[in-house]
Amino acid sequence: MKRNFWRKVISGVAVAFMLTGMIGCSDSSNTAKEGSSSSSNKKVELKVGTWAGAQELKEFQAIVDKLNQQAKDYHLTIQSIPADYYKKIQTMAAAKQAPDLFWLSQEYIPMYAKLGVISPIDEYVKDHPEVNLDDYFEGPLKIGEVDGKLYGLPWINQPVMLYYNQTLFEKYGVELPKPNWTWEDFRKAAIKLTKDTNNDGKVDQFGTVVDGWPPIALWIWTYGGEIVDKDGKVRIDEPEAIEGIKMFDQLINKDKVTPSKTQAQNTGGPEMFKTGKVAMFFGGAGDDLEKQIGDAFKVGMTKVPHATKEATFSWIAATVMSSTTKNKEVAAEALIDLTNAIHEWKILPPTKSDLTNVAKIRPDKAYAIDVIKESSTISRGFNNQDKQNELDTAIWQQLYEPILLGKKSPEQAAKDAGNALRKILGQ
């Protein structure tokens, strides 16, 4: 995945401050805006906000061009914001000039919904012939729900998978990872694959890499715990969650099967995997590691390990509709058409039916389609809150980084993180 999950560009407080003026902006008397008017003989002009840039923007433009040729009621114009996307979207929203449709990654949806920046789409997708909500994997669909209303249709579901260097496993006679692997299985293999290959007294090959990625939820959820549950209750310091954090700590500080934070971040986890310095890597199902590695070694992919429960974190984004768009019915139609079209793009779709086409779109993933399907079924996002960015920052500062640096025990880190999260949420 092309992101360090725990580093946020914009804090939730700053975002909320910028957007406060948008509360109640869905009033029809304030919704007219330039470029959104229509007449009986003119298509509704709609702007689409995206962070796509360079080659991805060209591919996205081709999708939009095709839709514009087919559409009878609307015409889409892309508004590309490849840098400082959220800062610029927030500025436009505060001025009531947000694009009619735009992309939001999962952690921003609750905040934008509660501030009135985006509109619910339930009435438009209900019984729509081109929308089958039952076809969506449960995890991706749920990230668009806030207070019982649906605010967006997901266009990508990127579950975290376990990539492994099959060549290294075979070289050292270690059993290949299986879909039913437990964390203990993973741990044993990682220990066997952590080696000083040149006998200079320093480890130069590691079983895995943990450097701020993957998120701690991968351990907490698979031990039956939660960080914040669906009702907004903080549970990161409960026994199940602590058991997951203990395994996280075990791998880093006791077994030492991962490079140090500095070493990993200086080189980069993906780069260490691609150069054979790391045997197992947690990456997104749609990452192009296979293409980048080429013939250097044989790559395998399977589900992430588990303890008492199978689960995996997924990077999910949705198409949403601005509350200031004038013709919501037409904008919703465009949202549906656009999202469905993106499902046929190169990314991994959040729908069961479209996932069957991935092998054709991405031949490099054909070998792993079955485990990608299984992972999509157990994939999920966070139980996102309107202050999700603040929560993520607190988890990094109070738990993830301290354990990464060996400065806190799992119990103390969980306690500190729990207290910090409750303070943010007013519990």
Side-chain angles (χ1 to χ4, degrees):
M1 289 186 173
K2 299 177 181 179
R3 56 184 285 153
N4 186 329
F5 182 80
W6 296 107
R7 296 187 180 278
K8 301 296 182 179
V9 177
I10 303 170
S11 73
V13 173
V15 175
F17 180 79
M18 291 183 68
L19 297 178
T20 301
M22 289 300 293
I23 298 175
C25 67
S26 58
D27 188 303
S28 60
S29 63
N30 295 322
T31 55
K33 70 178 184 178
E34 184 180 356
S36 293
S37 61
S38 65
S39 63
S40 58
N41 58 358
K42 185 179 179 181
K43 290 184 178 182
V44 175
E45 292 290 334
L46 301 171
K47 291 183 180 180
V48 181
T50 172
W51 54 68
Q55 181 59 36
E56 286 189 340
L57 180 59
K58 293 180 181 179
E59 295 170 4
F60 187 51
Q61 184 66 62
I63 293 172
V64 169
D65 289 343
K66 185 175 180 180
L67 287 177
N68 283 336
Q69 292 174 358
Q70 299 170 347
K72 297 180 180 180
D73 300 323
Y74 62 80
H75 179 271
L76 303 176
T77 300
I78 294 178
Q79 193 164 3
S80 176
I81 312 173
D84 298 324
Y85 178 80
Y86 286 106
K87 183 177 180 180
K88 292 175 182 177
I89 285 288
Q90 289 146 16
T91 300
M92 289 187 283
K96 300 182 181 181
Q97 296 178 349
D100 303 277
L101 308 175
F102 55 98
W103 291 352
L104 283 182
S105 59
Q106 57 168 305
E107 66 268 27
Y108 288 93
I109 293 174
M111 177 177 62
Y112 277 64
K114 291 185 178 182
L115 289 173
V117 176
I118 55 179
S119 290
I121 59 174
D122 304 80
E123 64 179 295
Y124 307 110
V125 301
K126 182 181 179 181
D127 300 324
H128 193 287
E130 297 301 322
V131 179
N132 179 6
L133 296 181
D134 291 333
D135 188 38
Y136 281 85
F137 291 105
E138 182 180 6
L141 188 61
K142 280 192 174 297
I143 62 95
E145 296 178 1
V146 180
D147 296 333
K149 296 181 180 180
L150 185 65
Y151 283 86
L153 286 180
W155 55 264
I156 184 172
N157 183 42
Q158 176 90 297
V160 176
M161 310 289 295
L162 180 64
Y163 288 85
Y164 57 92
N165 183 327
Q166 185 170 331
T167 303
L168 278 183
F169 272 80
E170 292 172 347
K171 177 180 178 180
Y172 293 104
V174 181
E175 183 180 6
L176 295 178
K178 296 179 180 179
N180 64 349
W181 253 23
T182 65
W183 282 112
E184 191 59 33
D185 294 325
F186 173 86
R187 174 176 170 264
K188 290 177 180 178
I191 291 172
K192 292 178 181 177
L193 292 161
T194 300
K195 295 182 177 296
D196 172 11
T197 61
N198 58 7
N199 298 314
D200 67 350
K202 297 179 182 179
V203 174
D204 49 27
Q205 176 184 297
F206 295 89
T208 191
V209 56
V210 178
D211 62 350
W213 176 263
I216 191 65
L218 215 61
W219 285 271
I220 290 176
W221 292 344
T222 53
Y223 274 83
E226 285 285 354
I227 296 173
V228 177
D229 68 19
K230 62 181 180 181
D231 296 319
K233 180 183 177 182
V234 175
R235 295 180 55 193
I236 197 169
D237 49 2
E238 293 183 355
E240 295 84 358
I242 292 175
E243 285 302 307
I245 298 169
K246 284 181 178 178
M247 176 55 77
F248 176 71
D249 177 67
Q250 175 79 33
L251 295 168
I252 297 168
N253 296 310
K254 296 181 176 64
D255 298 330
K256 300 185 183 300
V257 296
T258 176
S260 68
K261 176 191 172 186
T262 300
Q263 184 179 0
Q265 293 184 347
N266 283 345
T267 305
E271 192 63 29
M272 294 188 78
F273 179 70
K274 288 184 289 184
T275 56
K277 299 298 182 182
V278 164
M280 294 180 284
F281 177 74
F282 296 98
D287 290 353
D288 62 350
L289 293 171
E290 295 90 351
K291 287 185 177 180
Q292 294 185 50
I293 291 167
D295 296 328
F297 58 83
K298 190 171 183 179
V299 181
M301 184 201 294
T302 191
K303 293 190 291 184
V304 299
H306 67 279
T308 61
K309 182 179 180 180
E310 286 194 307
T312 188
F313 172 78
S314 184
W315 189 81
I316 307 164
T319 313
V320 298
M321 178 170 66
S322 170
S323 59
T324 58
T325 191
K326 185 175 182 180
N327 194 324
K328 288 185 171 59
E329 185 172 354
V330 174
E333 194 70 25
L335 183 153
I336 292 168
D337 291 345
L338 181 61
T339 306
N340 286 342
I342 296 175
H343 290 176
E344 300 177 8
W345 196 11
K346 64 180 180 180
I347 46 76
L348 294 174
T351 47
K352 302 164 191 172
S353 59
D354 290 313
L355 192 58
T356 60
N357 299 322
V358 169
K360 296 179 181 178
I361 301 171
R362 293 283 301 275
D364 54 310
K365 298 294 179 181
Y367 76 100
I369 290 299
D370 288 341
V371 293
I372 291 175
K373 288 180 180 178
E374 292 176 18
S375 291
S376 296
T377 301
I378 61 173
S379 67
R380 55 169 288 190
F382 295 117
N383 294 310
N384 290 299
Q385 308 297 307
D386 56 353
K387 295 182 178 180
Q388 190 63 39
N389 283 285
E390 291 180 74
L391 300 180
D392 292 341
T393 299
I395 292 168
W396 170 259
Q397 294 175 343
Q398 298 299 329
L399 191 155
Y400 205 119
E401 186 175 43
I403 289 185
L404 204 59
L405 298 176
K407 293 184 176 182
K408 287 184 183 180
S409 68
E411 293 83 357
Q412 187 62 51
K415 179 181 179 181
D416 293 345
N419 289 338
L421 300 191
R422 290 187 182 92
K423 184 177 180 179
I424 292 169
L425 295 176
Q427 296 179 12

